[in-house]
């Protein structure tokens, strides 16, 4: 089965968005966790951006030896030199050179002609390859680049020595069918040369970053650039956790695998929120607080009988400690009995009825009932069973 490589850019594209900056120690801590998650590449920063960024890439490269480390550079000599310098300590360095290729970016932002762009791309990749074994090239705003010119760009990049071609939807404008078709055209033009990996990098401005990334996989892309919790410029990047779980849950549909240790997803997500102080939305897929919470009585009853009724992903698979049955006013008795059992109380039917009445009354006043509230009520209603009876009931079970 083909493997899709996961290129994590939480420390670069993620970190450069408002409210997500991290100090060097935090970056190292997160990079170690990304290694535990088993990502295939860690993009550690943009060394020309600041001395601090350059130092951070160096430190991450020194501390994390078992994952390739990438550093970003515009197709300019001073940028490439800074990235080469930052990558010196890396065990497996990857230079990531980019240049915008859409006519809009070339004329409005760079004041370059297409010919000048091709020249800069070829010469900077060749220069980079003299110093770093692996060079990736990104055609910024590829999603809005004339397809024939994009094909020329890719050929120049491959001839100059780039082995990874990343074609980003920089502004989150693409729709899945279009984005996939772009890769198919480039593949057809290049003729699928040996040793060249195509890569996707999507933004979520229209909420389609993950869908576009998955469409790229269907079109033969074997590297996806993404971030933990989907952080990144503007509306963010494609969320790593959503992509890898989608590929795992719908394996039969995609026919590819990743090397990600899924059980490290939730711990990684929580480490990032702890470092940045920016929480994920409760309803966020895979890692949101409510992703595995079931409040409606019918759902809770189903989950208790068979989790597959309302869960396509088990919480343990992605490293969530335990499924949370939130007790609110829509909850059922069955869920309450289970929660009581988790808390160490085995209730008789009569006791359960009384606890239930009091818990639902409390739920009417406040939005949800927390375990400590249940303990307080259960403590009053149910006398803890004598040890002999507890032993008896456990042997009976
Ligand atoms: Mn980006």
């Amino acid at each position: 089965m083909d493997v899709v490589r996961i290129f994590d850019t939480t420390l670069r594209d993620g970190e450069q968005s408002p409210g997500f900056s991290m100090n060097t120690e935090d970056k190292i801590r997160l990079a170690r966790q990304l290694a535990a998650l088993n990502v295939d590449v860690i993009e550690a920063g943009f060394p020309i951006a600041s001395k601090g960024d350059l130092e951070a890439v160096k430190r991450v490269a020194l501390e994390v030896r078992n994952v390739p480390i990438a550093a970003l550079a515009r197709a300019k000599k001073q940028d490439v030199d800074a990235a080469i310098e930052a990558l010196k300590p890396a065990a497996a360095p990857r230079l990531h050179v980019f240049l915008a290729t859409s006519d809009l970016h070339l004329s409005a932002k760079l004041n370059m002609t297409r010919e000048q762009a091709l020249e800069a791309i070829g010469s900077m990749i060749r220069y980079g390859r003299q110093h770093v074994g692996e060079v990736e090239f990104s055609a910024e705003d590829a999603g809005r680049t004339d397809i024939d010119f994009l094909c020329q760009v890719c050929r120049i990049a491959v001839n100059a020595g780039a082995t990874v071609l990343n074609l980003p939807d920089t502004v989150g404008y693409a729709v899945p069918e279009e984005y996939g078709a772009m890769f198919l055209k480039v593949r057809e033009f290049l003729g699928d040369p040996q040793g060249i990996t195509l890569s996707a990098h999507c933004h979520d401005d229209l909420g389609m970053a993950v869908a576009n990334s998955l469409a790229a996989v269907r079109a033969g892309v074997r590297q996806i650039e993404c971030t933990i919790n989907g952080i990144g410029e503007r509306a963010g990047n494609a969320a790593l956790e959503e992509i890898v779980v989608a590929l795992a849950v719908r394996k039969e549909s995609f026919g590819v695998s990743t090397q990600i240790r899924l059980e490290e997803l939730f711990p990684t997500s929580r480490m990032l929120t702890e470092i940045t102080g920016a929480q994920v939305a409760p309803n966020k897929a895979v890692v949101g607080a409510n992703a595995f919470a079931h409040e409606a009585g019918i759902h809770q009853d189903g989950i208790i009988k068979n989790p597959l009724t309302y869960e396509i992903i088990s919480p343990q698979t992605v490293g969530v400690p335990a499924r949370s049955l939130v007790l609110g006013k829509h909850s059922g008795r069955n869920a309450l009995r289970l929660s009581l059992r988790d808390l160490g109380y085995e209730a008789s039917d009569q006791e359960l009825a009384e606890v239930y009445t009091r818990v639902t009354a409390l739920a009417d006043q406040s939005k949800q009932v927390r375990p400590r509230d249940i303990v307080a009520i259960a403590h009053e209603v149910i006398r803890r069973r004598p040890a002999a009876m507890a032993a008896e009931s456990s042997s009976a079970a």
Side-chain angles (χ1 to χ4, degrees), residues 19-22 26 229 231 271-279:
F20 290 99
S21 57
M22 296 172 225
D26 289 337
N229 297 343
I231 71 170
M271 183 184 286
L272 179 63
T273 60
E274 186 211 310
I275 287 172
T276 61
Q279 299 298 317

Side-chain angles (χ1 to χ4, degrees), residues 150-200:
L150 187 62
C151 287
Q152 282 185 60
V153 164
C154 290
R155 178 157 285 165
I156 294 275
V158 168
N159 289 345
T163 50
V164 181
L165 291 178
N166 183 45
L167 305 181
D169 178 25
T170 304
V171 292
Y173 179 76
V175 296
E177 296 77 10
E178 262 171 33
Y179 194 58
M182 176 189 75
F183 284 103
L184 291 176
K185 281 188 184 145
V186 168
R187 281 180 63 193
E188 190 186 3
F189 180 82
L190 293 178
D192 280 336
Q194 273 277 301
I196 302 297
T197 302
L198 287 177
S199 167

